[in-house]
Amino acid sequence: MKRFPMIVGLALAGFFARGQATNAPAYPLITHNPYFSIWSFSDNLNESTTHHWTGKDQSLLGLIKVDGTVYRFMGKEPVEYKTVLAAANEKPYTCKFTETEPAKDWASSKFDDNNWKIGTAPFSDDKLAAKTVWTSKNIWVRRTFTINDINFNKLALTLHHDDDVVVYLNGEKIAEQSGANGDLQYFPLSEVAVGKLKKGENILALHCTNTGGGAWLDAGFADELKPTDHAALEIARQTGVTVNATQTIYNFKCGKADLQLTFTSPLLMNNLSILSRPVSYISYKVKSNDDKPHQVKVYLSASADIARNTPQQPVTTKQYEAGNLSILKAGTVEQPVLQKKGDDLRIDWGYMYVAVPKTANATQYVSSGKEAVNSFFSGSSKSTASTGTNLVLNTVIPFGAVGKATVEKFVELGYDDITPVQYFHTNLNPWWKTAKTKTIEQVLANAAVEYPAVLKKCAAFNTSMYSDAQKAGGDKYAKLCVLAYRQSISAHMLVKSPKGETLFLSKENFSNGSINTVDVTYPSAPLYLLYKPELLKGMLNGIFYFSESGKFAHNFAAHDLGTYPLANGQTYGEGMPVEESGNMLILTTAIVKADGNASYAKKHWKTLTIWTNYLTKEGLDPANQLCTDDFAGHLARNANLSAKAIVGIGCYAHLADLLGHKAVAAKYRAIAKEMVTKWMQMADAGDHYSLVFDKKETWSQKYNIVWDKILGLKLFPQSVYDREIKYYLTKQNEFGLPLDSRKTYTKSDWIIWTATMASSRSDFEALVNPVYKYATETPTHVPLSDWHETTNGKKVGFQARSVVGGYFIKILQQKWSGK
């Protein structure tokens, strides 16, 4: 997709555009937490349907009527399907199955399956979700169904498979998929495949192989409906887009009117009351572009998909008023609070809200998605449904006659998740819910009253953050920080523990869905150390509690607290003892530096001591353990992991000194220094230090030693930094420095850390600029991926993760060094 230059359409846009980002892999619109997170995956806002970060549709559709002509400036109408053969997520069905390999003609319609078992779909190893439990390696399923109408628009196979699956229709293979797709997805069928379907009785047969991990099988058919033809609908011309820390700003030419559309998610860390408020603003500024007055109305359609996991879940809606607001509300009928856990999931409990001040004289109503656009054309504003599976919340705002003077109005989009997470079997309330603020209506009302003040605060922060980043690392580095800011924060949920401690719980997005993963916290930390150390404490508090309560009875730190949104104890199958213990020690020391006192370390001194003693025994020459780069596999004798252990021990010595334990400090500093000497000998590969001890042909980024520099521990000599940076500059590819010698892929957060070890600005920029090139030229249009291929800029895995908070490490280093 071709990226366009920034063209300023409104005078005010010029102010925001200077210095901020104008290109992104995807554009944040509504960003609050892992469940309330809506993005545009295209450069032009009206090129595609808006999505949740997982990629599923969460449609926001925007239209503007100028003197009777309607223009679409936001989103596209989502593709809709009509069920032909229901999958189990819509309606459980019975079928025949076997877990013993059958005869070769098992998929044939003539095959005798009388000796097969009868089961109800879905088939899974998840005993809570499965209608039939499947725990073996293979399963063969035959589903008999009758169909009378075989005239379709575009027939698709609906399929949820984990793992490899082959699908047959009446004995003929029609589809084959490998791996696990995580959810029910639509797979278009060829004309040949559709031709296998006949009137009357048919056999859908599936063979699924579980290659490891979870198991799931469910299938059906659906027909893609023909899109509604809106012949009179014009497409607004997008003239620019600007992304800053808290806002995404679009400019459009809509005939004889110009529109500036601003999405503001006020994630201001110096005010946790505002930060925790699950309300974003959608602001519209309209003016004439020919100096003549024009009649203008703006329309927003918000899909109820925002409040459910799958499109098949029935929703209920409500239209009402509260104080000075007009409100639309939607949520699932079922309300299965905290009943699902995992990665590729959307929230399906609680309620979404579209609120608008009564002074805007807006009209609000509920309709089906099919009726939505036509209702704006016709001026019909009567709700046509309150419950169903394809509902949208519609808001029409009249602007009247708009001339040269800009007219501004706004809408609020909010979400009440009721109880967002479970923490050691206790359901926690949202942070905003207090004795004074008890309802979401109060939150919406406060946000509306404070709209001008909040936008002013956002503008001030946007400017100051960009300025700090620019001074620290240059324009391209600053733009990377802009792209990272909202993504990182909104991958967390802010709550309080039953004891009143801050908990800022991350979700390991587009990975395994873990909650509060320590080696996700570690790369994220610089952003929070800069702007709100209390939030970093909120990432560590639960891990300390897990150990200190005796629930995690090991002499090293845990990997995680569970699978989002259930923080009931580690669910990751294998620990990372050196990795996580080192992370906790380093981050505790960083908090102490940010706080200016050692009270946080004192509170957890016994635990820190246990973890340090583990590192002194196991850290110098690590066994075949996983580290944070676990996607690269196990690695024994990992020099970078060893460096983390050494820095962790050095951190403990530093903390001991601050707490007045001088003998302890001297002892552990001596241990760390001795380990550095041995490390340099074992990793020495001439012009660089190796990935694996005593394997001189290998190399890796030694990003962990950056904390030695930032915290002023002075464990590693400057010559180590200089040798590594000089070598890295010879190993770069077009889109960045590979992670190590094993592959050409990389982690962009680690590149920024590695670059921060450089002594010169020129070397820093030489390492960082290819990351900027990746972020602005990647062909993969998803929320910023931290794991990409350095040869072509494509995403390898991961997206929308909090770890991009690590981009802020250069600003942190500059701040703490007094520069």
Side-chain angles (χ1 to χ4, degrees):
M1 188 179 300
K2 184 178 180 180
R3 299 192 183 266
F4 51 84
M6 177 64 189
I7 304 171
V8 177
L10 296 178
L12 186 59
F15 170 78
F16 286 113
R18 283 197 295 273
Q20 304 288 352
T22 57
N23 283 339
Y27 297 81
L29 306 179
I30 309 295
T31 48
H32 290 277
N33 58 59
Y35 284 144
F36 194 28
S37 180
I38 306 172
W39 298 68
S40 171
F41 284 22
S42 56
D43 285 328
N44 288 305
L45 183 59
N46 52 17
E47 280 184 354
S48 64
T49 304
T50 57
H51 304 285
H52 184 259
W53 65 259
T54 56
K56 297 297 191 296
D57 288 351
Q58 291 195 336
S59 175
L60 296 176
L61 189 66
L63 308 176
I64 184 170
K65 187 180 289 186
V66 181
D67 293 336
T69 301
V70 179
Y71 302 84
R72 190 182 79 236
F73 59 84
M74 174 168 62
K76 288 180 73 173
E77 291 177 271
V79 173
E80 295 183 24
Y81 292 89
K82 177 184 177 181
T83 299
V84 174
L85 179 65
N89 69 330
E90 190 174 347
K91 183 180 179 181
Y93 55 87
T94 57
C95 50
K96 296 289 189 71
F97 76 97
T98 182
E99 294 170 85
T100 303
E101 185 170 0
K104 290 184 179 180
D105 64 340
W106 70 274
S108 166
S109 56
K110 296 179 180 179
F111 180 77
D112 183 0
D113 58 17
N114 284 328
N115 291 327
W116 287 26
K117 299 175 185 176
I118 298 175
T120 303
F123 297 86
S124 176
D125 64 336
D126 184 340
K127 295 180 181 179
L128 295 177
K131 294 295 184 181
T132 301
V133 175
W134 164 41
T135 58
S136 62
K137 185 173 182 178
N138 287 280
I139 190 169
W140 291 261
V141 173
R142 287 170 53 87
R143 181 181 183 184
T144 303
F145 65 97
T146 300
I147 192 166
N148 296 315
D149 184 359
I150 56 173
N151 295 309
F152 306 108
N153 177 43
K154 291 182 181 179
L155 189 67
L157 173 71
T158 56
L159 181 64
H160 182 178
H161 61 94
D162 188 352
D163 293 289
D164 304 344
V165 64
V166 183
V167 185
Y168 301 85
L169 179 59
N170 296 323
E172 300 289 337
K173 185 165 76 171
I174 61 169
E176 185 171 3
Q177 297 292 328
S178 60
N181 67 345
D183 199 0
L184 197 74
Q185 295 179 358
Y186 297 95
F187 296 90
L189 294 174
S190 67
E191 288 186 16
V192 173
V194 175
K196 303 301 178 185
L197 200 60
K198 60 186 180 182
K199 281 187 178 181
E201 188 174 278
N202 295 265
I203 297 290
L204 178 65
L206 305 97
H207 171 211
C208 191
T209 302
N210 178 21
T211 59
W216 196 285
L217 185 61
D218 181 25
F221 291 112
D223 190 23
E224 180 182 326
L225 300 179
K226 291 182 179 179
T228 304
D229 183 23
H230 306 292
L233 181 64
E234 301 283 341
I235 304 301
R237 181 165 67 89
Q238 184 174 309
T239 57
V241 58
T242 301
V243 181
N244 57 46
T246 63
Q247 297 173 308
T248 301
I249 305 164
Y250 293 92
N251 293 297
F252 299 92
K253 188 176 188 296
C254 312
K256 295 178 180 179
D258 287 343
L259 167 67
Q260 184 178 93
L261 175 70
T262 301
F263 295 87
T264 305
S265 295
L267 304 183
L268 300 169
M269 285 188 274
N270 64 349
N271 188 323
L272 295 186
S273 177
I274 294 176
L275 177 75
S276 66
R277 185 187 286 167
V279 179
S280 280
Y281 303 109
I282 305 175
S283 307
Y284 308 90
K285 292 182 179 179
V286 185
K287 61 175 288 190
S288 166
N289 58 35
D290 66 357
D291 294 337
K292 297 177 182 178
H294 301 283
Q295 291 293 323
V296 175
K297 288 184 178 180
V298 170
Y299 165 87
L300 170 68
S301 163
S303 170
D305 284 345
I306 295 168
R308 62 184 175 181
N309 182 44
T310 67
Q312 291 77 26
Q313 291 178 284
V315 295
T316 183
T317 64
K318 182 180 180 182
Q319 178 184 354
Y320 64 107
E321 295 182 348
N324 295 319
L325 296 175
S326 297
I327 299 174
L328 289 171
K329 169 185 178 181
T332 60
V333 173
E334 184 186 5
Q335 290 295 302
V337 178
L338 295 171
Q339 292 303 301
K340 298 179 181 69
K341 62 179 181 177
D343 183 36
D344 187 12
L345 293 173
R346 278 70 40 205
I347 194 168
D348 59 2
W349 72 91
Y351 298 89
M352 62 177 287
Y353 294 81
V354 180
V356 60
K358 289 181 180 178
T359 54
N361 296 314
T363 301
Q364 292 189 298
Y365 57 101
V366 180
S367 72
S368 71
K370 204 75 173 169
E371 299 169 316
V373 173
N374 284 338
S375 71
F376 186 55
F377 269 97
S378 67
S380 173
S381 59
K382 183 178 180 181
S383 290
T384 57
S386 60
T387 304
T389 57
N390 179 25
L391 300 184
V392 295
L393 309 184
N394 305 294
T395 301
V396 178
I397 305 176
F399 280 69
V402 176
K404 292 187 291 183
T406 299
V407 180
E408 177 180 359
K409 297 191 179 186
F410 71 94
V411 172
E412 297 176 327
L413 193 62
Y415 205 98
D416 181 5
D417 45 25
I418 303 173
T419 176
V421 295
Q422 187 176 93
Y423 182 72
F424 292 102
H425 306 287
T426 298
N427 292 352
L428 303 182
N429 287 325
W431 179 280
W432 58 261
K433 188 169 285 188
T434 64
K436 186 177 180 180
T437 305
K438 297 180 180 179
T439 68
I440 191 67
E441 287 80 9
Q442 289 175 286
V443 174
L444 292 165
N446 291 339
V449 169
E450 295 173 16
Y451 172 75
V454 170
L455 259 62
K456 187 175 180 180
K457 291 175 182 177
C458 286
F461 178 75
N462 297 339
T463 301
S464 65
M465 192 219 82
Y466 190 89
S467 176
D468 289 345
Q470 186 182 46
K471 290 173 185 175
D475 281 330
K476 291 180 178 179
Y477 170 68
K479 288 177 170 63
L480 285 170
C481 290
V482 165
L483 297 181
Y485 185 81
R486 271 176 285 167
Q487 175 171 312
S488 182
I489 296 172
S490 62
H492 297 83
M493 176 60 71
L494 179 62
V495 288
K496 289 182 180 177
S497 76
K499 294 182 178 180
E501 281 193 320
T502 299
L503 296 173
F504 195 49
L505 303 173
S506 65
K507 179 175 181 180
E508 195 168 343
N509 288 346
F510 216 85
S511 179
N512 63 352
S514 288
I515 188 168
N516 205 190
T517 302
V518 178
D519 58 286
V520 168
T521 294
Y522 178 64
S524 308
L527 173 59
Y528 307 98
L529 287 165
L530 263 175
Y531 297 113
K532 196 69 174 181
E534 178 64 24
L535 293 177
L536 182 55
K537 292 178 187 175
M539 299 183 222
L540 270 56
N541 287 339
I543 300 295
F544 277 121
Y545 171 76
F546 195 19
S547 283
E548 292 166 356
S549 65
K551 297 178 189 295
F552 188 74
H554 298 278
N555 61 345
F556 50 83
H559 171 271
D560 62 79
L561 291 184
T563 303
Y564 199 94
L566 306 180
N568 294 326
Q570 181 171 315
T571 51
Y572 191 71
E574 181 178 350
M576 299 182 186
V578 172
E579 172 73 36
E580 312 302 18
S581 300
N583 291 340
M584 291 295 291
L585 282 154
I586 292 168
L587 296 181
T588 299
T589 308
I591 286 171
V592 165
K593 185 172 180 65
D595 282 349
N597 67 77
S599 59
Y600 191 72
K602 184 177 181 179
K603 180 179 180 181
H604 302 292
W605 191 243
K606 182 179 178 181
T607 305
L608 294 170
T609 301
I610 293 170
W611 292 342
T612 302
N613 287 333
Y614 175 84
L615 292 181
T616 61
K617 295 176 182 177
E618 305 292 342
L620 175 61
D621 196 352
N624 195 33
Q625 291 190 8
L626 288 174
C627 70
T628 185
D629 303 318
D630 54 351
F631 53 84
H634 291 76
L635 186 66
R637 314 202 71 200
N638 183 337
N640 188 44
L641 183 58
S642 172
K644 176 174 288 184
I646 294 168
V647 174
I649 295 166
C651 282
Y652 180 79
H654 177 67
L655 293 173
D657 186 58
L658 291 176
L659 289 170
H661 307 316
K662 302 300 181 182
V664 172
K667 173 186 173 182
Y668 283 92
R669 179 164 181 82
I671 291 172
K673 289 292 287 184
E674 183 182 0
M675 290 171 77
V676 167
T677 300
K678 293 179 180 178
W679 184 94
M680 292 175 65
Q681 293 169 351
M682 292 188 294
D684 188 5
D687 59 353
H688 69 281
Y689 292 95
S690 58
L691 162 69
V692 177
F693 289 141
D694 298 327
K695 288 190 177 183
K696 296 184 178 183
E697 71 279 8
T698 65
W699 66 272
S700 65
Q701 293 185 46
K702 308 301 188 303
Y703 53 80
N704 283 320
I705 66 173
V706 72
W707 290 103
D708 178 43
K709 182 176 183 178
I710 291 175
L711 295 170
L713 302 177
K714 299 181 180 178
L715 298 171
F716 289 83
Q718 184 61 39
S719 60
V720 172
Y721 297 94
D722 295 342
R723 186 194 294 190
E724 286 291 281
I725 294 297
K726 183 178 180 180
Y727 187 79
Y728 298 150
L729 292 171
T730 70
K731 291 296 181 180
Q732 294 212 94
N733 289 325
E734 183 179 1
F735 295 96
L737 176 67
L739 180 65
D740 57 49
S741 53
R742 290 175 289 179
K743 301 280 187 178
T744 54
Y745 60 54
T746 195
K747 291 281 274 85
S748 56
D749 47 346
W750 298 146
I751 290 180
I752 308 297
W753 286 34
T754 294
T756 301
M757 301 190 309
S759 298
S760 72
R761 176 72 166 263
S762 61
D763 285 349
F764 173 83
E765 291 185 356
L767 289 163
V768 169
N769 288 352
V771 178
Y772 175 76
K773 181 179 176 67
Y774 150 69
T776 56
E777 297 182 16
T778 176
T780 312
H781 287 263
V782 297
L784 188 60
S785 171
D786 53 288
W787 181 16
H788 73 268
E789 176 54 60
T790 62
T791 58
N792 57 26
K794 292 181 180 180
K795 182 191 88 166
V796 177
F798 305 151
Q799 65 192 49
R801 301 209 311 162
S802 66
V803 301
V804 293
Y807 290 5
F808 287 78
I809 197 164
K810 181 62 176 177
I811 314 176
L812 181 70
Q813 182 259 329
Q814 293 283 286
K815 177 183 177 181
W816 281 1
S817 66
K819 296 180 182 179

